[in-house]
Amino acid sequence: MTSVFTRRDVLASLLATSATAACANAPEVSPYPTARPANARALAAPGAERLVAAAELGNSAKVGFVVSDTRTGEILEAKNPVLPLPPASVTKALTTLYALSHLGTGYRFTTKLYADGAISGGRLNGNLWLVGGGDPTLDTDDMATLARSLRAAGVTEVSGEFRVQATALPYIAEIDPDQPEHVGYNPAISGLNLNFNRVHFEWKRAGSGYDVTMDARSENYRPDVSTSRMEIVSRDLPVYTYRERNGRDQWTVSRQALGGSGSRWLPVRHPEAYAGEVFRTMARANGVSLGQPRMVSAAPAGRVIAQHHSEELPLILRDTLKYSNNLMAEISGLSASATSGNRPDSLRASARQMGSWLESRMGMRRARFEDHSGLGENSRVSASDMVGVLNAAGTSGPLRPLMKEIRLKEENGGGAGSHLIDIRAKTGTLNFVSSLAGYIRTPGGRDLSFATFTADLPRRAAIARNDREAPTGARGWSRRSRAMQLKLIERWAAVYER
C-alpha cells in the first residue's frame, strides 16, 4: 500500500517532534542571544590588503595610504606611506591652506572701473579703464551690474579709449599643456577672468547646415562674442582643433561629430579681450557708448568710479573644493604667491613657492608641485606628508569646515552604521589616478586624518593625446579605486572607532 502524506500531515509531524524534544529536557531558564563582543565591528572589518586586492587596479598600479589620530598624530595604519604619487585635485586642499595663510579670511577680489578725466554732461573727457583684480568668479551678470554702476556714475559716452588692463596676475595660456585643447577645465589665466574663462558653444541643425552661437552666457544674459569663433568642417577626427588668429580663438569642429543639436563649454585663451568685449556689450545695453577695447599693461590712471567685489575668500575656496574648479584654485594660489613681493611669472614658479611654504610651515618633506589645482600630472605627494598637513591644520582649523561632506549610505553598499561616519574630504581624479584625503569622525567621536593615493602611471603614459578626454578603461578603473577608498574609510572607522 502506498501512503500519501498531505502538507498538513507533514506540518503536524514536525510540530509533534518539536514538542516531544522540548518536553523531554525543558530548560530551567529562558535562553538569550549571545551578546556581541564590544569590538564586533572591528572584528568583522575586512583587512586593508584584501580591499586593495579586490579593487583589481592592475599589476602596474601603486597604492599608498595613511590613517592617523588627528589629535595625537599616531599612525594607525599605512601602506607605502612615503611613496610620492600624483595628488590630482587633492592639491586644492593644500592650496586652500596656502591662500588663507597669505591672503586672509577677509580677502576679496576686486574689479574696478577708472576714469582718467572729468565727467560732464554724461561725457567722460578721457579714458575709461576696466582693471581686473584676478577675480575667478566674475561672470556676465557681474559685468552687467558694473555697467549699470557706470551709467549711475553719470557716464553715457567716453571721448577717449576703452582700456582693459589685466596685469594683476601673469597671463598663462593654459593650466596644463598636456590636456586636450578643447576641454573647458583647462582655460587660460589672467588678471581679468570671466565665466571661468569659458565660452558657450551651441549648435542646431538648420537645413543642410547648422546654426552656431558662441556666447558668454550667465544666469541672466547670453551676449554673443566675436573673440571666439567656430567653423564646422567635414572630417572624422580630431573632433576639435584650435589656433590663434589675430588675437582671437579660432576653433573648428567635425561635422560628423555634431549630431542634431547640442552644446559645450570651450576654454578661452584671451580672457582679457573676452571680458572687454562682454563689458562693452553690457555697457551698450545700459546706454553707454564705448569704443573697441584696447589691451594695455600700464598702471591705471584717474579715479575709481565703479567696482565689483567678489565674495570673501573662504566662500570661494569652499566652492573651489566642492566643485573642484581648476581656475579658482590656480588664481587663489597665484594671488597668494604674489603677496611675497616676488610675483611668479608661471604656475610652476608659484607652485614651488607653495611647496616651500608647505615644507617650512607644515612639515612636508617629499612633495613637489607644478600647479595649484592638481591638473598637471607631475606633482607628487606622499600619503604620509598629506596626513601630516591635515594633522597640523587640525579639526578646528580652517580647512575641515570648507571640505565637502561625503556620506556613506547603507543602501548604497555601505556597512551597517556607515551613515554615521562623518567624512570631510577632497577627491582627485585624473586618467588612471585617483586620490582622496581629509578627515573622519567615527561614530564613537574619534577624529582621524587620512590620505589615499592610487595611480597606474604606465597605463596613463600610454594614452594617446586625442584619447585623453575619455580613454578606454579609465572610468571603470577610477570607479573601482574610489570604491576601495570608501571601503577603507569604513574599515578605519570600525577598527579605530575609539
Side-chain angles (χ1 to χ4, degrees), residues 12-214:
S13 174
L14 290 173
L15 288 171
T17 304
S18 300
T20 302
C23 293
N25 189 18
E28 296 181 359
V29 295
S30 300
Y32 286 92
T34 304
R36 296 180 67 194
N39 62 342
R41 290 182 68 243
L43 292 173
E49 288 297 336
R50 175 182 161 192
L51 294 174
V52 172
E56 297 182 342
L57 299 180
N59 294 332
S60 57
K62 301 295 183 183
V63 176
F65 64 73
V66 169
V67 61
S68 81
D69 184 292
T70 306
R71 184 178 61 84
T72 66
E74 177 190 1
I75 302 299
L76 304 174
E77 195 165 288
K79 178 182 177 67
N80 295 325
V82 298
L83 177 65
L85 290 170
S89 284
V90 166
T91 304
K92 294 179 176 73
L94 302 172
T95 300
T96 293
L97 290 171
Y98 180 59
L100 288 171
S101 171
H102 287 70
L103 299 174
T105 57
Y107 185 81
R108 295 176 185 264
F109 296 93
T110 304
T111 307
K112 298 178 180 180
L113 289 177
Y114 285 80
D116 63 9
I119 300 171
S120 176
R123 180 182 177 89
L124 168 57
N125 295 297
N127 303 305
L128 180 71
W129 300 65
L130 173 62
V131 180
D135 188 352
T137 63
L138 191 71
D139 66 12
T140 299
D141 285 358
D142 299 325
M143 285 297 199
T145 301
L146 203 54
R148 288 194 294 271
S149 297
L150 175 62
R151 178 61 187 262
V155 176
T156 57
E157 63 175 316
V158 175
S159 67
E161 296 179 330
F162 172 38
R163 297 179 174 179
V164 178
Q165 201 255 38
T167 61
L169 295 175
Y171 169 74
I172 298 167
E174 52 191 334
I175 297 171
D176 179 20
D178 292 329
Q179 296 291 325
E181 291 178 316
H182 61 279
V183 292
Y185 56 75
N186 187 38
I189 298 170
S190 168
L192 180 58
N193 309 282
L194 185 68
N195 300 328
F196 305 115
N197 291 343
R198 301 179 307 172
V199 63
H200 191 261
F201 163 46
E202 186 170 8
W203 64 93
K204 294 180 181 179
R205 190 181 293 279
S208 60
Y210 286 89
D211 287 335
V212 171
T213 59
M214 302 285 274

Side-chain angles (χ1 to χ4, degrees), residues 392-413:
T395 56
S396 60
L399 181 58
R400 187 180 185 276
L402 300 179
M403 299 184 97
K404 184 178 179 179
E405 183 178 11
I406 299 175
R407 282 290 184 182
L408 302 179
K409 298 180 180 179
E410 294 179 23
E411 62 270 24
N412 292 335

Side-chain angles (χ1 to χ4, degrees), residues 1 30 75 120 148 162-163 196 207 210-212 232 241 256 271 276 299 311 322 360 374 391 406 446 480 489-490 492:
M1 177 185 295
S30 300
I75 302 299
S120 176
R148 288 194 294 271
F162 172 38
R163 297 179 174 179
F196 305 115
Y210 286 89
D211 287 335
V212 171
I232 299 175
T241 68
Q256 287 85 331
E311 293 184 310
K322 180 177 180 179
S360 63
N391 288 342
I406 299 175
R446 188 178 188 183
R480 294 194 302 276
I489 289 175
E490 284 190 76
W492 296 331

Side-chain angles (χ1 to χ4, degrees), residues 207-224:
S208 60
Y210 286 89
D211 287 335
V212 171
T213 59
M214 302 285 274
D215 64 65
R217 68 178 55 193
S218 57
E219 185 174 352
N220 297 306
Y221 304 96
R222 51 180 64 187
D224 290 337

